[in-house]
Amino acid sequence: MTTKLSAIFGKPRVLLPVIHYAGEAEALASIRVARDQGADGVWLINQGIDAERMVGFAAKVIARHPELWVGVNALGYEPPDVFDLFAGVRFQGIWSDNGGIEFRRLPHLPGVRGPVWREPFVDRMNAARGRRPELLYFGGEAFKGRPHVQTVD
């Protein structure tokens, strides 16, 4: 089975280290280490830098390392808003701690809970993705700071 991930990277599993911004020189050095050790790309997270400054940093990373896949996690922004925040930057993925999914009772299956997309999140996300359909989206669920997900779910 070919997934979007394997279609982009040419393999089913990839290594994408997370780069926390602790200063430009440190972050660029971490990216070089990741590249030199065979990482397929990197995630840039704006922990330690505001999201607006990270836009410029992401553009610099992409220009310096066109061989790397670069994704962004803009803390404090919902994924649909990241498309606008990073407009003009050719990043290739969005990661969000909050994937826009809730677990709740499924009305057509009495007594059963399951994952459902939050509205209007899904409408906003689909509209944003329509502008950049090639992007990969990684949305977390049952992640720190999120409501507890029952084991049965």
Side-chain angles (χ1 to χ4, degrees), residues 27-48:
L28 289 172
S30 295
I31 292 165
R32 282 191 301 276
V33 167
R35 181 206 58 205
D36 293 348
Q37 294 303 312
D40 300 290
V42 295
W43 285 108
L44 304 178
I45 186 169
N46 69 314
Q47 192 167 13

Side-chain angles (χ1 to χ4, degrees), residues 103-106 111-115 142 148-153:
F103 283 85
R104 62 178 182 239
R105 297 213 180 279
L106 300 178
V112 176
R113 292 170 45 88
H148 176 73
V149 176
Q150 295 180 18
T151 302
V152 297
D153 292 334

Side-chain angles (χ1 to χ4, degrees), residues 7-73:
I8 288 171
F9 290 99
K11 55 187 176 179
R13 293 182 189 95
V14 296
L15 177 63
L16 304 170
V18 176
I19 305 298
H20 290 257
Y21 188 95
E24 186 169 308
E26 294 88 350
L28 289 172
S30 295
I31 292 165
R32 282 191 301 276
V33 167
R35 181 206 58 205
D36 293 348
Q37 294 303 312
D40 300 290
V42 295
W43 285 108
L44 304 178
I45 186 169
N46 69 314
Q47 192 167 13
I49 184 175
D50 64 49
E52 290 77 14
R53 280 187 52 211
M54 191 162 94
V55 171
F57 180 68
K60 182 180 283 190
V61 168
I62 292 164
R64 285 188 182 191
H65 297 285
E67 75 283 4
L68 287 178
W69 182 96
V70 176
V72 298
N73 181 355

Side-chain angles (χ1 to χ4, degrees), residues 27-142:
L28 289 172
S30 295
I31 292 165
R32 282 191 301 276
V33 167
R35 181 206 58 205
D36 293 348
Q37 294 303 312
D40 300 290
V42 295
W43 285 108
L44 304 178
I45 186 169
N46 69 314
Q47 192 167 13
I49 184 175
D50 64 49
E52 290 77 14
R53 280 187 52 211
M54 191 162 94
V55 171
F57 180 68
K60 182 180 283 190
V61 168
I62 292 164
R64 285 188 182 191
H65 297 285
E67 75 283 4
L68 287 178
W69 182 96
V70 176
V72 298
N73 181 355
L75 298 173
Y77 288 79
E78 283 208 334
D81 300 326
V82 173
F83 287 86
D84 294 328
L85 178 66
F86 283 82
V89 177
R90 298 307 299 172
F91 66 98
Q92 293 134 317
I94 294 175
W95 160 29
S96 174
D97 298 350
N98 181 351
I101 298 171
E102 295 177 342
F103 283 85
R104 62 178 182 239
R105 297 213 180 279
L106 300 178
H108 60 289
L109 298 171
V112 176
R113 292 170 45 88
V116 294
W117 283 100
R118 259 188 12 243
E119 299 293 343
F121 176 90
V122 69
D123 295 330
R124 291 180 55 231
M125 190 63 181
N126 284 338
R129 286 203 49 129
R131 297 191 309 268
R132 295 281 308 274
E134 76 282 5
L135 289 179
L136 290 178
Y137 172 58
F138 294 72
E141 211 41 57

